[in-house]
Amino acid sequence: MNQFDTIIIRFGELYTKGKNKKDFVNRLFYNMKNNLDNEGIKFIKAHDHIYLELEENVDKENLISQLKNISGIYSFSLANKIDATEENIIESSFKLLMNASKQNTFKVYTRRIDKTFPINSDSINRLVASKILKNSHYKVDVHHPDYLLSIEIRPHFAYIFLETIKGLGGYPSNTMGGALMLISGGIDSPVAASLLLKRGVHLEYLHFASPPYTNVAVIDKVKDLLNVISSNQNHVYLHIVPFTKLQEEIYRHVNESYAITIMRRMMIRIACKVVKNRHLLATATGESIGQVASQTLESMRVISGVADEVIIRPLATYDKVEVIKISKEINTYDISIRPYEDCCTIFTPKQPKTKPHLDKVLAFENKFDYASLVDECVKNIETIRLK
Ligand code: ATP
Ligand code: MG
């Protein structure tokens, strides 16, 4: 890594957002100020970029790894701020390249944002390149250079940089409204949550607990998962549904092979009520097409039939291997694989329906007063505010 004193932040995808762009940039600016260890950093918001000017004591490696985790950042460059004189730009650019680990080729790319600067971009490119060519073994490669030496000239000063790092992309957190994530403690749901967070969706979480069939350790596991995936949120709401009684009633009245289908319909009914109560815009799950009996399209159709809110399934098309890969990247995998009993696994029937019939489902549901049990679940939710 070269020495640098400034980081230039780009927001890529936000450009497509027209008049919303200003709000998005403001939110990103706010999120960065709030979530970075910001001592010794001066935050500057400009029309097209955000700049971080760093004092010497800033832990730069730590800052870079934090920036990689902030959604809405498309890329960022590690730059040096210099006085914008012709001689200084040439000298500093030359030094920057000389200090880089030796490669063979380079290209100079100048943006003259200050149009009053007396030399145009092409001429600066040529002046800098000729200094380098005369005084080093480097050659120019305009198509695939080892180093792209970028120069950005602003009023009074310029930025020069070689290194650009890819960001997380997506949208800044809290710019897309809120959703209720059904979180189990398994591998899939935390990954689904992280994909939604990256899209700027704010999340609250709903967990179905069935004590004494499920253990309190599951709740700790869910909390640990939320701590990892929501490290960029100031606080997080986890709603815990006491699900035991409703589940027992399901198993009393419903043929075993239909129990999971109906249990899932109850989960969705409860989730939709919570979505309304919490003024959220959607509910979300970690389901993936075909993964288990309740996740065939036929099952999803019968289960979604009870929803009067949108259900988002970020992993619908993902293979388990892809999901595991992401869960390792976002550091949830080791928590997710801790052994636990989910409310779905404890009553797992030998032959769950992969193609449930709606008329049968309705006949089973008619056998008991599920509506008041659903209301009771919602009424008795315990909400925990984490962090
Ligand atoms: P994971 O548990 O990681 O989601 P899975 O393959 O075990 O993966 P299922 O158990 O089939 O998935 O559950 C599908 C989805 O239903 C989960 O992704 C989650 O969104 C929701 N879900 C399952 N169990 C619970 C629970 N106890 N509380 C809240 N949501 C749950
Ligand atoms: Mg599960």
Side-chain angles (χ1 to χ4, degrees):
M1 205 191 304
N2 282 300
Q3 283 300 317
F4 61 96
D5 54 27
T6 302
I7 299 184
I8 304 175
I9 313 273
R10 289 182 204 84
F11 357 98
E13 205 176 344
L14 305 191
Y15 280 122
T16 59
K17 294 288 131 187
K19 67 181 170 43
N20 287 339
K21 187 187 147 190
K22 200 164 152 233
D23 295 342
F24 278 58
V25 175
N26 285 342
R27 173 53 77 164
L28 179 60
F29 192 70
Y30 172 87
N31 290 346
M32 285 173 55
K33 273 190 144 174
N34 254 295
N35 293 318
L36 297 172
D37 298 336
N38 61 19
E39 216 174 281
I41 304 178
K42 186 172 166 202
F43 293 78
I44 301 162
K45 187 168 52 180
H47 163 71
D48 49 353
H49 297 142
I50 289 172
Y51 298 90
L52 310 183
E53 291 188 357
L54 316 178
E55 284 172 17
E56 263 176 31
N57 57 358
V58 170
D59 178 348
K60 291 175 179 166
E61 302 241 344
N62 177 42
L63 180 60
I64 288 172
S65 71
Q66 288 184 336
L67 285 172
K68 284 182 185 164
N69 265 322
I70 292 190
S71 63
I73 295 180
Y74 175 74
S75 72
F76 54 97
S77 299
L78 313 179
N80 283 298
K81 185 177 177 178
I82 58 169
D83 287 336
T85 62
E86 175 185 339
E87 194 191 324
N88 197 27
I89 290 171
I90 296 170
E91 274 311 309
S92 304
S93 301
F94 174 67
K95 268 195 210 135
L96 186 65
L97 197 60
M98 289 305 105
N99 287 338
S101 56
K102 295 280 173 282
Q103 297 278 348
N104 298 316
T105 59
F106 75 101
K107 173 186 172 176
V108 188
Y109 171 69
T110 303
R111 277 178 72 211
R112 193 177 50 139
I113 290 156
D114 173 16
K115 297 293 178 209
T116 67
F117 190 76
I119 313 168
N120 72 21
S121 307
D122 275 347
S123 305
I124 297 167
N125 288 345
R126 253 180 282 117
L127 287 167
V128 172
S130 79
K131 165 90 184 182
I132 294 166
L133 290 169
K134 270 189 211 136
N135 295 287
S136 76
H137 67 280
Y138 276 98
K139 294 194 170 45
V140 170
D141 180 345
V142 289
H143 299 297
H144 304 287
D146 296 323
Y147 289 118
L148 179 64
L149 174 64
S150 302
I151 302 168
E152 193 177 299
I153 301 175
R154 303 204 150 243
H156 311 301
F157 60 88
Y159 293 116
I160 55 171
F161 55 91
L162 288 178
E163 246 175 302
T164 294
I165 297 172
K166 204 168 163 312
L168 199 57
Y171 300 118
S173 1
N174 286 328
T175 50
M176 286 288 166
L180 183 71
M181 181 77 223
L182 305 198
I183 186 118
S184 62
I187 293 170
D188 300 330
S189 38
V191 171
S194 80
L195 294 176
L196 283 169
L197 291 170
K198 181 178 149 178
R199 293 314 286 178
V201 177
H202 167 80
L203 293 180
E204 296 192 12
Y205 298 86
L206 189 72
H207 177 75
F208 294 90
S210 300
Y213 305 105
T214 59
N215 192 304
V216 278
V218 186
I219 308 284
D220 289 334
K221 191 177 176 190
V222 170
K223 285 185 192 165
D224 290 347
L225 286 167
L226 297 190
N227 272 330
V228 173
I229 53 182
S230 323
S231 57
N232 281 341
Q233 261 172 277
N234 288 339
H235 59 263
V236 164
Y237 289 107
L238 169 61
H239 310 285
I240 300 171
V241 183
F243 202 41
T244 315
K245 194 163 154 198
L246 176 51
Q247 250 190 325
E248 284 174 344
E249 287 303 300
I250 294 170
Y251 284 87
R252 184 174 326 193
H253 297 287
V254 175
N255 182 301
E256 202 187 88
S257 62
Y258 271 79
I260 292 278
T261 311
I262 289 177
M263 186 194 71
R264 294 226 160 249
R265 281 164 62 94
M266 300 300 166
M267 286 177 157
I268 295 298
R269 286 184 172 109
I270 293 167
C272 290
K273 284 178 190 283
V274 176
V275 166
K276 286 189 187 64
N277 290 347
R278 301 292 302 174
H279 305 290
L280 300 169
L281 300 173
T283 187
T285 75
E287 291 166 301
S288 160
I289 296 170
Q291 193 183 78
V292 289
S294 63
Q295 294 173 28
T296 61
L297 282 185
E298 288 89 348
S299 285
M300 287 196 203
R301 180 164 183 262
V302 168
I303 292 162
S304 302
V306 300
D308 53 5
E309 296 288 346
V310 172
I311 304 177
I312 300 175
R313 299 178 170 93
L315 304 183
T317 63
Y318 282 54
D319 290 337
K320 196 77 186 188
V321 265
E322 295 173 75
V323 177
I324 289 174
K325 184 167 167 265
I326 300 176
S327 80
K328 288 181 177 164
E329 283 163 11
I330 63 170
N331 298 321
T332 54
Y333 183 75
D334 290 338
I335 306 173
S336 289
I337 58 170
R338 281 189 219 151
Y340 80 110
E341 290 289 313
D342 187 39
C343 68
C344 298
T345 45
I346 45 175
F347 295 113
T348 307
K350 281 177 218 78
Q351 289 204 302
K353 278 278 170 216
T354 52
K355 296 183 183 182
H357 295 285
L358 186 59
D359 47 353
K360 286 199 179 151
V361 167
L362 294 174
F364 285 127
E365 287 185 348
N366 262 331
K367 287 175 151 191
F368 68 113
D369 179 15
Y370 69 80
S372 52
L373 291 163
V374 164
D375 286 341
E376 204 178 314
C377 282
V378 174
K379 198 179 104 216
N380 293 326
I381 282 175
E382 184 200 348
T383 297
I384 304 175
R385 189 175 187 265
L386 300 172
K387 276 204 275 190

